[in-house]
Amino acid sequence: MTEQEYNQAEGIRRSDLWKMEDSPEKFKYFLEHPEEMNPEYFALIPQWGIREAVKDAIASMTDRQAIRTYEGIFMPHFGD
């Protein structure tokens, strides 16, 4: 079974793989800048700890949010 066939059998979409692959970068970024993640999850840091709050904040992102977040953090803004 190829990796693609396995992912299809497990119901893993290409966009989900993209979100998982770039999550280490976002995870590190939000650990260093927790104030920039969703306020709902930022407020949970005292209760859950920063690592758990960041993991849940990333996991809760829609594909569109994940892409916008990645672009906003890691891609330069020309002409701003």
Side-chain angles (χ1 to χ4, degrees), residues 51-67:
R51 295 181 73 81
E52 203 60 37
V54 169
K55 278 194 310 188
D56 279 15
I58 292 170
S60 73
M61 290 182 182
T62 64
D63 292 347
R64 184 172 294 180
Q65 288 171 320
I67 291 167

Side-chain angles (χ1 to χ4, degrees), residues 14-80:
R14 182 186 256 334
S15 58
D16 293 333
L17 291 171
W18 182 85
K19 283 170 58 176
M20 287 186 271
E21 288 169 359
D22 83 276
S23 290
E25 293 172 339
K26 284 190 292 200
F27 186 76
K28 182 179 178 193
Y29 180 83
F30 286 129
L31 283 178
E32 296 170 358
H33 307 280
E35 69 283 353
E36 294 189 29
M37 67 181 178
N38 182 319
E40 175 184 347
Y41 292 95
F42 180 75
L44 293 171
I45 292 173
Q47 180 182 350
W48 291 2
I50 190 166
R51 295 181 73 81
E52 203 60 37
V54 169
K55 278 194 310 188
D56 279 15
I58 292 170
S60 73
M61 290 182 182
T62 64
D63 292 347
R64 184 172 294 180
Q65 288 171 320
I67 291 167
R68 275 190 289 201
T69 299
Y70 186 89
E71 290 173 345
I73 294 170
F74 299 109
M75 298 181 81
H77 299 277
F78 298 105
D80 286 348

